[in-house]
Amino acid sequence: MARDQRPGGATPRSGRRWIRYQYQRREKMLLGTLSLLLVLVAWQVAADLELVKQSFASSPRLIWTSLLDYFSPGGSGWTDLRASGQEFVYGFVISVLIGIPVGILMGWYRRLDALLNPIVLLLNNSPRIAIAPLFVIWFGIGLASKVWVVVLSAIVPIIVNARAGVVTIEPSLIAMSRSYGSSDFRLLRTVILPGSVPAISSGIRLGIGYALLGVVLAEFIASTEGLGFVVTNSAATFNTDRLFVAVVVISTLGMVANALLSRVEKYFDRWRTA
């Protein structure tokens, strides 16, 4: 008796194996998407049954309608996204360019660590919302003040994690490299940096979240455009639909930044194991 075959010679069993393989590859993404859909459906049902007041909690349907209106030709969505995106990119890049070298040097040089560690702790424990207005006084209400608020928010976790990545490297690896006559520069390139990549990546991921918080905080204080301004203005006018739209766009911006970072991490993982 001939076996039941699908077009192209694939049997039902091989088809099930292919489906199982594809599911295993994308299981994390599929489960995450499923959980998000369940939350949205439950939210919409609760709004339709008037279990929650839509004027306070909105609903996925109203948020979607507001999102389309926000990014329509007559809306301000693209202008706000460009303003906040510019502040985020400039501030985050400055934080990375300063934070990673400073953290590595603090982890490598004991005296420099003793010199700078109190400053890092002070910045880490200081209330950003109290310091941010000073940047407006110093740099005005333009782009510069907002960029430095983002730097203030994002740079500390990057420094702390880069320093931790150096400090936690196995001393035996450093001693072995020293025994072969490696210079400080060669030791840094072949042992310190590759061994610090996971910690530095974690610091950058934390920095992305803190940088987005810095963007919102900066636009809370002094701005007439941007996603943070939309959040402030929408809350003041009880426009919960538009407020949720701004939150969704900010979250999406963070997800895109993390996706780009994942690609960079894959490159450095190959460099670590090379």
Side-chain angles (χ1 to χ4, degrees):
M1 182 176 180
R3 297 179 62 189
D4 180 22
Q5 290 189 338
R6 298 181 181 182
T11 64
R13 182 173 297 177
S14 65
R16 286 195 295 270
R17 283 199 299 266
W18 181 85
I19 293 173
R20 189 182 301 113
Y21 169 72
Q22 294 298 326
Y23 172 79
Q24 290 173 349
R25 285 186 58 194
R26 297 170 173 82
E27 182 179 30
K28 185 177 180 180
M29 181 189 70
L30 292 172
L31 292 177
T33 303
L34 177 62
S35 66
L36 181 60
L37 288 175
L38 290 175
V39 170
L40 293 176
V41 170
W43 185 2
Q44 185 63 55
V45 170
D48 291 340
L49 296 178
E50 298 184 353
L51 299 177
V52 296
K53 290 186 177 181
Q54 296 193 36
S55 57
F56 293 154
S58 189
S59 71
R61 185 184 298 115
L62 293 176
I63 294 170
W64 175 252
T65 302
S66 183
L67 177 66
L68 296 178
D69 178 67
Y70 185 52
F71 284 100
S72 66
S76 61
W78 294 112
T79 301
D80 292 330
L81 181 60
R82 181 172 62 251
S84 296
Q86 190 176 30
E87 296 158 12
F88 170 76
V89 171
Y90 288 171
F92 182 69
V93 169
I94 291 173
S95 300
V96 170
L97 293 179
I98 295 176
I100 292 177
V102 169
I104 290 174
L105 291 174
M106 286 178 64
W108 187 243
Y109 294 106
R110 178 175 54 84
R111 290 177 178 172
L112 183 63
D113 181 50
L115 183 67
L116 296 182
N117 194 50
I119 299 175
V120 174
L121 290 176
L122 180 65
L123 290 175
N124 187 46
N125 295 310
S126 61
R128 273 55 163 189
I129 196 169
I131 296 178
L134 293 174
F135 287 87
V136 178
I137 297 173
W138 296 338
F139 301 108
I141 62 173
L143 177 64
S145 62
K146 299 176 181 62
V147 168
W148 286 111
V149 171
V150 175
V151 173
L152 174 67
S153 301
I155 196 169
V156 172
I158 296 175
I159 292 175
V160 170
N161 278 269
R163 175 189 176 278
V166 176
V167 170
T168 55
I169 290 177
E170 285 291 335
S172 59
L173 296 177
I174 298 175
M176 184 181 298
S177 183
R178 289 288 195 194
S179 67
Y180 285 100
S182 296
S183 62
D184 280 353
F185 177 76
R186 181 176 176 81
L187 187 62
L188 180 69
R189 183 174 61 85
T190 59
V191 178
I192 303 301
L193 285 178
S196 303
V197 166
I200 291 174
S201 298
S202 298
I204 293 176
R205 286 189 182 278
L206 289 173
I208 289 173
Y210 281 103
L212 290 171
L213 291 175
V215 169
V216 175
L217 173 60
E219 293 174 349
F220 272 178
I221 296 169
S223 183
T224 57
E225 61 180 4
L227 298 169
F229 172 75
V230 173
V231 171
T232 306
N233 189 56
S234 299
T237 58
F238 294 96
N239 188 350
T240 54
D241 305 337
R242 187 54 54 88
L243 191 152
F244 276 111
V245 166
V247 171
V248 168
V249 174
I250 292 169
S251 301
T252 302
L253 186 61
M255 292 173 64
V256 170
N258 273 285
L260 293 175
L261 176 62
S262 296
R263 292 184 176 273
V264 175
E265 284 179 337
K266 289 180 180 178
Y267 170 79
F268 281 106
D269 281 339
R270 291 197 299 267
W271 170 57
R272 286 180 64 209
T273 56

